[in-house]
C-alpha cells in the first residue's frame, strides 16, 4: 500500500458475461453501497456489450464501471472498434489499455497503447495501463528491463495523467494460478514507482499501481499488503461477486 492512496480493486471480465451475469454486478453494487466491501474503490469491467446495461444497474451507486479496451481515434471508419468517448457515453469511468491479451493476440505495441491511454484521458476516462513480462523474459532475467520499457513507452505523455493507473501483470501469472513471490512483486512495483516519478514528478508518487495475475481471496492479503501495491486487477476471480468481494475485503 502507498500511504494516502486509496486502493483500487478492478475486475476484468474479459470475453465473459451475458445479460444474466449482471446479477453478479448487482450483488457487488449492493455490498459496496451497503459499506460492506471495505475501504478500496471497486470497479468492474464487463464486455462492451454489457456496459450500458451495467451502467443502468449501477446508476447512483458507488461501484465504478470500466471497459476493457478503446481505440486511439475519437471516431471514424474503424469497423468493430469502440472509441473512448463512446465508452464514456455508455457510462464507463475506467478503461483497461495494453492488457497482455491485447498485446499478444492483437499485436498491440507500446506506442499504440500509449495512444489509447491518451485517448482515454482526453475522453475523461481513467486509463488502467497494463504491463508485464512473459515467462521467457522472467527466466532470462529481463523482467525489470521489459517492464521499464513498457512503462516508458505505454504511459500517456499528455492529458490528465494524475488519474492514470498502472497494472503490473506478469503474463505467466494470468489465468494460471501462478503468482510471483512477494519479493518479486515488491521489486517490480518499486521500479514502476521510481519510473512514475521520472515521468510525472511528484504526481507519480500518488498514482495507483495494481498487481494482477491469479489474484484470489487466498493470496490477496499477502500480495495487496506489499509496498507500492495499491490494489488489484482481477480476472477470473472477478466473475463471481462473492470472490471479488472477498478480495476487496483485504482492505476492510
Ligand atoms: P486472472 O487475470 O486474475 O484470471 O489471472 C488477470 C488479468 O488478466 O487481468
Amino acid at each position: 500500500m502507498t500511504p494516502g492512496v486509496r486502493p483500487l480493486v478492478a475486475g476484468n471480465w474479459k470475453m465473459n458475461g451475458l445479460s444474466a451475469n449482471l446479477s453478479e454486478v448487482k450483488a457487488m453494487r449492493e455490498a459496496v453501497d451497503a459499506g460492506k466491501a471495505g475501504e478500496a474503490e471497486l470497479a468492474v469491467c464487463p464486455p462492451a456489450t454489457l456496459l450500458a446495461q451495467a451502467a443502468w444497474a449501477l446508476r447512483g451507486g458507488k461501484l465504478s464501471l470500466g471497459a476493457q479496451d478503446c481505440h486511439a481515434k475519437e471516431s471514424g471508419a474503424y469497423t468493430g472498434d469502440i472509441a473512448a468517448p463512446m465508452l464514456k457515453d455508455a457510462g464507463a469511468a475506467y478503461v483497461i489499455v495494453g492488457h497482455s491479451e491485447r498485446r499478444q493476440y492483437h499485436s498491440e505495441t507500446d506506442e499504440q497503447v500509449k495512444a489509447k491511454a491518451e485517448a482515454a484521458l482526453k475522453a475523461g476516462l481513467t486509463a488502467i495501463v497494463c504491463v508485464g513480462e512473459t515467462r521467457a523474459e522472467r527466466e532470462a532475467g529481463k523482467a525489470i528491463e521489459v517492464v521499464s520499457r513498457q512503462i516508458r513507452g505505454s504511459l500517456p505523455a499528455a492529458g490528465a495523467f494524475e488519474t492514470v493507473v498502472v497494472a503490473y501483470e506478469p503474463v505467466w501469472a494470468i489465468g494460471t494460478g501462478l503468482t510471483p513471490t512477494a519479493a518479486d512483486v515488491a521489486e517490480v512495483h518499486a521500479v514502476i514507482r521510481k519510473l512514475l516519478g521520472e515521468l510525472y514528478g511528484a504526481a507519480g508518487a500518488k498514482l495507483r499501481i495494481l498487481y494482477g495475475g491469479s489474484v484470489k481471496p487466498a493470496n490477496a492479503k499477502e500480495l495487496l499488503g506489499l509496498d507500492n501495491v495499491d490494489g488489484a486487477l482481477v480476472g477470473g476471480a472477478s466473475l463471481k461477486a462473492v470472490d471479488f468481494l472477498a478480495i476487496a475485503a483485504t482492505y476492510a
Side-chain angles (χ1 to χ4, degrees):
M1 293 180 68
T2 304
V5 173
R6 188 178 182 209
L8 170 68
V9 178
N12 171 14
W13 279 20
K14 311 190 179 187
M15 198 171 72
N16 299 292
L18 301 172
S19 314
N21 303 98
L22 288 170
S23 58
E24 299 297 330
V25 171
K26 287 174 194 155
M28 292 172 192
R29 177 207 163 134
E30 275 162 30
V32 172
D33 288 350
K36 291 180 180 159
E39 299 298 319
E41 181 183 356
L42 266 61
V44 60
C45 305
T49 45
L50 291 182
L51 278 179
Q53 286 183 78
W56 180 248
L58 297 180
R59 71 195 182 285
K62 292 188 189 139
L63 173 60
S64 300
L65 185 64
Q68 300 174 13
D69 181 44
C70 68
H71 198 277
K73 295 266 169 54
E74 275 178 43
S75 63
Y78 301 98
T79 302
D81 281 318
I82 305 179
M86 296 171 177
L87 300 174
K88 176 83 177 168
D89 185 51
Y94 287 88
V95 62
I96 299 166
V97 293
H99 190 280
S100 65
E101 287 149 18
R102 301 291 316 175
R103 292 178 186 264
Q104 189 180 348
Y105 304 133
H106 298 266
S107 309
E108 290 188 11
T109 63
D110 287 339
E111 205 177 10
Q112 286 169 319
V113 174
K114 178 178 179 178
K116 289 179 177 211
E118 289 178 350
L121 298 186
K122 195 167 173 212
L125 298 167
T126 292
I128 302 176
V129 184
C130 302
V131 297
E133 82 284 357
T134 63
R135 171 172 287 284
E137 288 162 345
R138 162 73 53 186
E139 284 171 356
K142 293 194 166 148
I144 297 291
E145 181 189 325
V146 168
V147 169
S148 301
R149 189 176 66 232
Q150 289 175 331
I151 290 282
R152 288 201 177 91
S154 310
L155 286 184
F161 57 76
E162 303 79 13
T163 63
V164 166
V165 175
V166 173
Y168 168 56
E169 299 203 307
V171 179
W172 53 272
I174 294 176
T176 58
L178 303 171
T179 53
T181 64
D184 286 343
V185 173
E187 182 191 23
V188 176
H189 278 241
V191 168
I192 294 174
R193 178 69 69 206
K194 187 165 161 285
L195 290 169
L196 290 175
E198 285 172 21
L199 286 165
Y200 299 133
K206 296 283 174 205
L207 294 186
R208 293 179 288 194
I209 309 173
L210 313 183
Y211 168 77
S214 295
V215 177
K216 307 263 181 283
N219 61 21
K221 211 177 173 67
E222 185 188 16
L223 292 166
L224 305 189
L226 298 168
D227 280 355
N228 292 308
V229 176
D230 311 307
L233 183 54
V234 185
S238 72
L239 292 169
K240 293 278 174 232
V242 61
D243 296 331
F244 189 55
L245 292 169
I247 291 167
T250 309
Y251 295 109

